[in-house]
Amino acid sequence: MNKATDRSKKMRAMFGGVDPAELSKSSTPAPSMTTATKQRVSSGAIKSMRNTFSNVEKENEKLRQMMQEGSVAHEFDTAELDPSFVADRMIVANDQDFETLKASISTSGQQVPILVRPHPEADGRYQIAFGHRRWRACKDLGIPVRGFIKDLSDEALLIAQGQENHERKNLSFIETALFASRLAKSFPQTVISKAIGKDATTVSKLLKLINALPEDFIREIGPAPKIGRPRWEELAGHFVNGQLPDPFKARVNAVTITADFELSGSDERFSSILSACKSAETTTTAATGSVATAAKSWLGNRQILMKDGPNALSFQIDARKDPELAAFLKKRLPDLMDEFRSDYLKEDA
């Protein structure tokens, strides 16, 4: 039995009514691959397999722990369940990943149970902590959904909900930002950080971005799984006090009312709206014959002049008056660039 089959067996043992003691049995070592076979396996495929096995092991460990605590997977009528009181995911039309999940459950059954708690306000009902997509898939298929029941406080439910999504990495950047924004209405920053697996600085950036963009506007675009923080911030830069200026709004509206936009995926919707904003910006600049004047402000004891314009941010230092400051900043810039790249890669991963 190879490792993949062994892991599948463990999953079936956990969820298919087999004695949990089966999980502790050792497996026969996988036969070694020949040199020719190894050469046919790409490094990308190996990495993908490792990631898949890693995710399976995380699920195994989480669910083993629940079994050790005496938890038993129950079958629920999907109509008995309600979603979490804080939404974390956008439901969009033509969601191919969801259709693939539904087909998998239809063919092979629900492999991983969901997690629910007794509904705090409705006797005989349950509220989902995580597994909303599996619940929706079973609901569409007209079959019961399997899940564990666990008493959870509001805070514990949200942390479980957020951490499960963080481990699976299946929430897009903007869905994570919206989830953080909704949590911020009722919960402290410490809960938000635990729920989304981000530090306080990143949480602040997410909330700042959401404050700049209307939620209805974000929903019109959708989850945009391939679009990260820098491009969302670029789009937000065209908004003023949460609204698009009239020339930008007219150009964006002309895009969003088309049939192509309606049929497009969310990544394509984002790109078309950002392109419309850039086009409006170019047209407005050409019509006025000049670029908007940059806002000027001083830093320190009038040592650094900062110019913040619509298309550029610059800093100016008089090296004759402050040679030490100029030399210090010049020395630190490479380190600041490294820090920026590290944050960029971490948040956009």
Side-chain angles (χ1 to χ4, degrees), residues 158-214:
L158 292 172
I159 291 174
Q161 177 182 349
Q163 288 183 345
E164 197 256 2
N165 282 324
H166 176 64
E167 287 179 7
R168 288 172 172 269
K169 296 183 179 179
N170 60 1
L171 280 190
S172 69
F173 167 81
I174 199 64
E175 284 179 311
T176 300
L178 280 173
F179 186 46
S181 177
R182 292 171 185 139
L183 292 179
K185 295 176 182 178
S186 304
F187 295 89
Q189 186 272 327
T190 51
V191 174
I192 302 173
S193 291
K194 290 179 182 178
I196 68 173
K198 305 289 184 182
D199 59 26
T201 300
T202 302
V203 170
S204 296
K205 292 177 181 177
L206 296 176
L207 297 180
K208 181 180 179 181
L209 175 68
I210 294 300
N211 287 336
L213 293 169

Side-chain angles (χ1 to χ4, degrees), residues 41 44-54:
V41 180
I46 292 173
K47 182 177 180 180
S48 176
M49 291 169 66
R50 286 175 178 169
N51 289 340
T52 299
F53 292 159
S54 176

Side-chain angles (χ1 to χ4, degrees), residues 125-145:
R125 299 190 63 78
Y126 298 90
Q127 193 170 58
I128 301 170
F130 60 71
H132 290 80
R133 282 162 60 86
R134 280 163 272 170
W135 167 60
R136 285 177 47 223
C138 291
K139 189 174 183 180
D140 284 0
L141 293 169
I143 62 175
V145 61

Side-chain angles (χ1 to χ4, degrees), residues 315-333:
F315 299 90
Q316 185 175 326
I317 303 167
D318 190 333
R320 293 171 299 176
K321 292 183 179 180
D322 290 295
E324 294 86 358
L325 175 61
F328 172 78
L329 292 176
K330 187 176 180 180
K331 181 180 179 181
R332 286 297 311 277
L333 274 175

Side-chain angles (χ1 to χ4, degrees), residues 167-318:
E167 287 179 7
R168 288 172 172 269
K169 296 183 179 179
N170 60 1
L171 280 190
S172 69
F173 167 81
I174 199 64
E175 284 179 311
T176 300
L178 280 173
F179 186 46
S181 177
R182 292 171 185 139
L183 292 179
K185 295 176 182 178
S186 304
F187 295 89
Q189 186 272 327
T190 51
V191 174
I192 302 173
S193 291
K194 290 179 182 178
I196 68 173
K198 305 289 184 182
D199 59 26
T201 300
T202 302
V203 170
S204 296
K205 292 177 181 177
L206 296 176
L207 297 180
K208 181 180 179 181
L209 175 68
I210 294 300
N211 287 336
L213 293 169
E215 183 168 337
D216 288 346
F217 181 82
I218 295 173
R219 287 190 164 280
E220 190 169 12
I221 294 174
K226 296 180 181 178
I227 309 299
R229 179 172 65 87
R231 295 185 69 192
W232 275 104
E233 288 181 342
E234 183 181 3
L235 179 59
H238 296 289
F239 282 72
V240 178
N241 297 325
Q243 298 291 329
L244 278 173
D246 288 341
F248 293 83
K249 187 175 182 180
R251 190 65 63 90
V252 168
N253 285 344
V255 170
T256 57
I257 63 174
T258 64
D260 285 344
F261 183 85
E262 184 68 25
L263 297 175
S264 295
S266 56
D267 290 317
E268 291 75 20
R269 289 186 177 192
F270 177 94
S271 296
S272 62
I273 286 178
L274 181 58
S275 295
C277 287
K278 289 181 177 180
S279 176
E281 183 177 38
T282 302
T283 302
T284 302
T285 301
T288 60
S290 62
V291 178
T293 303
K296 298 180 180 180
S297 58
W298 287 95
L299 301 175
N301 187 20
R302 297 183 66 84
Q303 294 169 291
I304 303 176
L305 175 61
M306 181 174 71
K307 298 180 181 180
D308 189 359
N311 299 310
L313 174 66
S314 64
F315 299 90
Q316 185 175 326
I317 303 167
D318 190 333

Side-chain angles (χ1 to χ4, degrees), residues 8-56:
S8 296
K9 182 177 179 181
K10 289 182 178 181
M11 294 293 286
R12 288 195 299 271
M14 189 172 293
F15 310 128
V18 179
D19 187 346
E22 183 74 8
L23 295 175
S24 62
K25 292 184 178 180
S26 61
S27 60
T28 304
S32 60
M33 299 172 67
T34 65
T35 302
T37 303
K38 289 180 180 178
Q39 291 176 344
R40 290 196 297 268
V41 180
S42 69
S43 59
I46 292 173
K47 182 177 180 180
S48 176
M49 291 169 66
R50 286 175 178 169
N51 289 340
T52 299
F53 292 159
S54 176
N55 288 338
V56 170

